[in-house]
Amino acid sequence: MTDMIQPNRQVTVGKQKMTPSEAFVETMVANGVTDVFGIVGSAYMDALDIFPAAGIRFIPVAHEQGAVHMADGYSRVSGRHGVCIGQNGPGITNFVTGAAAAFWAHSPVVLITPETGSMTIGLGGFQETDQLPIFSKITKYQGHVMNPKRMAEITARCFDRALLDMGPTQLNIPRDYFYGDIECEIPKPIRIGRGAGDEAAIEQAAALLASAKFPMIVAGGGVFSAGALAEAAQLAELLHAPVACSYLHNDAFPASHPLWTGPLGYHGSKAAMKLMSQADVVLALGTRLGPFGTLPQYGLDYWPRDAKIIQVDADAKMLGLVKSITVGINGDAKAAAAALVARLQGKTLACSANKAERDARIKREKSEWSAELERWTHETDAYSIEVAKSSKSLHPRQVLRELEKAMPRGAMVSTDIGNICQIANSYLRFEQPRSMLAAMAFGNCGYAFPVACGAKIAAPERPAIAYVGDGAWGISFNELLTCAREKIGVSVVVFNNGQWGAEKKNHVDFYSQRYLGVELDNPSWAGVAKAFGCEGITVDRLKDVGDALQRSVQAQADGKTTVVEIMCTKELGDPFRRDALSKPVRHLAKYKAYV
Ligand SMILES: Cc1ncc(C[n+]2csc(CCOP(=O)(O)OP(=O)(O)O)c2C)c(N)n1
Ligand SMILES: [Mg+2]
């Protein structure tokens, strides 16, 4: 049957008689949707039936959480909507973690949530739950189709708002509303440009930058989502200002640029942080300066409290939310940076006077950090030395360095939540935007692999690589099924250290090594991959790391996913949440020993 289908991407024009299913699908076509992730369900089968005729690929996944993560990765790489759909009730509740993760990654994901039929809502029939409250705090907009005649209108609004508000939206549809006859017109997408922001604020920011003796730029996710790389570089060059990437946005500025200094935040670049501590004016370009990403690191409380801070963000509510600011600019990072360049060009800049001195300082900090990283082959705390000394396994830092060296051009790398994945922050450099797909502030284990799958579908020509700890892998490896079935070729580097390491680190630092629930007894993950119809390579020699990564990348061209399982020691780097833990206090006699 499917052989007969000729996909037609022409959107129906003018008011016409159609079914709500047709209105829904046509509105997706009008928004350029070509891929939808989900698990099949009767709730939306009437619409699903015509996806192929509309030129929309349905990618069936193993778990609906995977569908949302894939849609997230897809949108982060393409800049277009990521779309997912599921069965009312359990299919939709499975979306929750993915939606929260996409919310904090600012990904324009549209969650399509068919609901119990309108005639039985509230009766406690089959697969019923109130689907709007569940997502109310993890979406930017919730559209509910309260009458089938409004299907196209509400669908269109969900797509518009996901881009406008830079985050997930929910389209909730009582399942009987896909049927019937309606008359409607497919709305044209509404795309709103932002511009540079308030003139007076730009003027004030330009004056501050012109008077700065040590200006510094923090490039955030807004730099690549606005396509502002060239403008950011122009501004940095004009001021000869060092550029730090905001936490987990290592791809916000090209690593080969002489003014690049690396990422701020957990396991970020000491060079970036040390330079930051010297700044008298900071331009935070397209970053919300999230609290976790600006915490002290390496014992370095680097945030320059006396500096003047200029913050540019497309979301006005982020301005001055976390860090005090001198000037807030609600605008597009590209347009704002261009406006600042235009005002500063040809002006006398205070920072020109000490350019040579600052340049020497930038070079020195960068080379010192690079040399320190080179020497830092393993962790040196007492616990790490003890567990690594009799181990034949590999030091994670050395593995990360080898992976960095073997990284193919144009790679998209997703990273999970875990000790080794976070240390990777020191070793991930990019030349191209939309390349680093870290689990952002929601911080859920199990994020990286499905995100890499979505990224690969959005950009099949680019290598997709996921970094995953063995614990997080246990949460997410079910999507190997999707890779094998749908011929999605990605590389998964699984760091097998036999433990939920990041949490174990808290047992070491705060709970006198009373380990509980942190040891992992793993099967051969390479063997499991093969059983799923994928490739698997076990690596236990450092010299094989790069080759294994490269082989896995080659297999991507054949639509083959490879698990590169790397046997790592149990050593552990700096903890995640030193800021949020304290030594245990016990008052009851029976718990006295637990300190
Ligand atoms: C879904 C979820 N459950 C639990 C946690 C708490 N958590 C944070 S890091 C971590 C350990 C990760 O272990 P692993 O993936 O093996 O990586 P490693 O730390 O060993 O490198 C856990 C359990 C979380 N972040 N997300
Ligand atoms: Mg682990």
Side-chain angles (χ1 to χ4, degrees):
M1 274 303 278
T2 44
D3 291 348
M4 293 160 54
I5 293 164
Q6 287 297 324
N8 180 350
R9 300 285 298 169
Q10 210 70 43
V11 182
T12 304
V13 182
K15 197 163 190 177
Q16 296 219 20
K17 180 176 173 180
M18 60 185 92
T19 69
S21 280
E22 289 169 327
F24 161 68
V25 173
E26 281 292 282
T27 308
M28 290 210 286
V29 176
N31 280 277
V33 175
T34 51
D35 302 277
V36 174
F37 302 90
I39 290 186
V40 67
S42 57
Y44 62 96
M45 209 162 258
D46 192 63
L48 179 67
D49 187 42
I50 56 175
F51 276 20
I56 296 175
R57 176 183 176 192
F58 179 69
I59 297 123
V61 300
H63 187 291
E64 287 87 352
Q65 180 180 337
V68 192
H69 287 327
M70 288 185 205
D72 184 349
Y74 182 98
S75 72
R76 288 178 72 175
V77 161
S78 66
R80 292 160 50 208
H81 297 98
V83 187
C84 51
I85 194 164
Q87 176 75 343
N88 57 293
I92 302 311
T93 52
N94 276 353
F95 276 176
V96 172
T97 299
F103 183 87
W104 288 109
H106 312 293
S107 301
V109 168
V110 180
L111 309 156
I112 297 163
T113 65
E115 196 175 45
T116 301
S118 63
M119 290 303 290
T120 58
I121 285 178
L123 301 184
F126 191 52
Q127 298 175 326
E128 177 172 359
T129 189
D130 198 351
Q131 294 182 175
L132 289 168
I134 293 172
F135 294 92
S136 64
K137 300 290 185 192
I138 46 175
T139 48
K140 297 286 185 175
Y141 174 77
Q142 296 180 289
H144 176 68
V145 177
M146 61 290 281
N147 185 310
K149 290 181 191 147
R150 297 186 67 185
M151 179 70 93
E153 176 206 339
I154 309 280
T155 301
R157 191 155 303 121
C158 287
F159 278 87
D160 291 343
R161 292 287 173 89
L163 290 180
L164 182 69
D165 290 336
M166 299 160 294
T169 60
Q170 180 184 9
L171 171 60
N172 200 53
I173 311 169
R175 53 184 291 170
D176 50 322
Y177 287 0
F178 283 102
Y179 303 99
D181 293 335
I182 57 170
E183 286 257 328
C184 79
E185 187 167 350
I186 305 304
K188 284 206 169 61
I190 300 172
R191 301 289 179 261
I192 309 293
R194 276 189 183 84
D198 177 43
E199 282 273 334
I202 296 274
E203 197 60 51
Q204 207 188 338
L208 276 178
L209 288 168
S211 67
K213 295 200 175 58
F214 203 118
M216 175 107 190
I217 296 174
V218 181
V223 171
F224 58 76
S225 58
L229 217 69
E231 290 75 6
Q234 222 185 336
L235 190 55
E237 287 158 20
L238 192 62
L239 298 163
H240 204 76
V243 182
C245 296
S246 70
Y247 179 53
L248 298 180
H249 284 309
N250 301 20
D251 53 348
F253 204 72
S256 61
H257 195 288
L259 291 168
W260 169 90
T261 63
L264 296 179
Y266 188 42
H267 287 293
S269 153
K270 275 192 192 173
M273 294 181 230
K274 283 185 178 169
L275 289 163
M276 188 82 181
S277 69
Q278 298 301 305
D280 61 347
V281 177
V282 175
L283 172 66
L285 188 61
T287 165
R288 69 185 180 95
L289 297 173
F292 188 68
T294 50
L295 282 176
Q297 301 298 331
Y298 307 111
L300 210 74
D301 194 0
Y302 65 88
W303 191 261
R305 281 180 224 295
D306 298 329
K308 305 264 190 295
I309 312 282
I310 303 160
Q311 189 184 9
V312 179
D313 202 291
D315 180 351
K317 297 184 289 299
M318 295 303 125
L319 298 172
L321 178 67
V322 178
K323 294 286 182 198
S324 304
I325 56 172
T326 318
V327 185
I329 299 170
N330 178 211
D332 172 79
K334 184 184 177 80
L340 288 170
V341 168
R343 275 171 179 75
L344 290 170
Q345 251 161 357
K347 271 226 172 107
T348 313
L349 304 173
C351 59
S352 302
N354 61 2
K355 179 175 165 182
E357 196 184 308
R358 287 183 301 121
D359 189 57
R361 173 115 207 213
I362 296 166
K363 290 198 173 102
R364 192 173 69 239
E365 294 296 4
K366 280 174 71 167
S367 73
E368 275 178 17
W369 173 233
S370 162
E372 183 175 347
L373 261 189
E374 199 55 42
R375 285 192 308 271
W376 199 349
T377 51
H378 60 87
E379 306 304 338
T380 52
D381 57 286
Y383 160 84
S384 293
I385 298 278
E386 179 59 29
V387 291
K389 88 176 170 217
S390 53
S391 171
K392 289 201 171 54
S393 298
L394 310 179
H395 294 300
R397 284 186 177 273
Q398 288 187 306
V399 170
L400 291 166
R401 218 339 91 98
E402 291 303 308
L403 290 169
E404 181 192 5
K405 286 189 203 150
M407 194 58 70
R409 276 164 70 91
M412 308 175 281
V413 184
S414 62
T415 57
D416 219 287
I417 295 294
N419 196 266
I420 301 177
C421 281
Q422 297 307 297
I423 296 171
N425 198 23
S426 288
Y427 302 88
L428 286 170
R429 295 148 198 255
F430 299 96
E431 292 303 316
Q432 196 177 329
R434 299 190 181 280
S435 297
M436 182 163 179
L437 310 168
M440 304 304 292
F442 190 58
N444 64 302
C445 290
Y447 181 84
F449 172 44
V451 163
C453 298
K456 185 69 184 182
I457 290 177
E461 71 290 355
R462 297 180 64 187
I465 298 162
Y467 281 10
V468 192
D470 50 353
W473 182 238
I475 295 179
S476 51
F477 72 92
N478 55 354
E479 297 303 342
L480 284 174
L481 291 168
T482 308
C483 291
R485 288 171 185 154
E486 292 294 306
K487 304 205 177 345
I488 304 167
V490 305
S491 303
V492 192
V493 179
V494 176
F495 302 108
N496 186 342
N497 60 3
Q499 59 191 3
W500 292 98
E503 296 299 350
K504 189 180 200 178
K505 178 70 176 155
N506 296 324
H507 288 161
V508 174
D509 290 349
F510 292 90
Y511 296 92
S512 306
Q513 303 196 15
R514 287 190 297 279
Y515 300 132
L516 187 62
V518 290
E519 303 297 344
L520 293 168
D521 198 0
N522 290 315
S524 155
W525 285 121
V528 169
K530 288 180 191 153
F532 274 69
C534 297
E535 302 292 335
I537 306 173
T538 307
V539 178
D540 50 17
R541 293 184 308 183
L542 196 60
K543 66 183 174 73
D544 296 337
V545 171
D547 181 58
L549 180 71
Q550 274 156 4
R551 273 166 58 202
S552 74
V553 169
Q554 276 154 20
Q556 291 187 20
D558 307 322
K560 275 272 183 194
T561 281
T562 308
V563 171
V564 178
E565 179 184 21
I566 305 190
M567 309 314 284
C568 295
T569 71
K570 287 179 183 285
E571 69 198 87
L572 291 165
D574 252 15
F576 255 107
R577 301 308 313 268
R578 211 197 291 279
D579 63 303
L581 283 154
S582 47
K583 290 273 184 195
V585 175
R586 314 291 177 204
H587 295 299
L588 300 180
K590 64 195 265 199
Y591 301 127
K592 277 285 185 218
Y594 290 78
V595 287

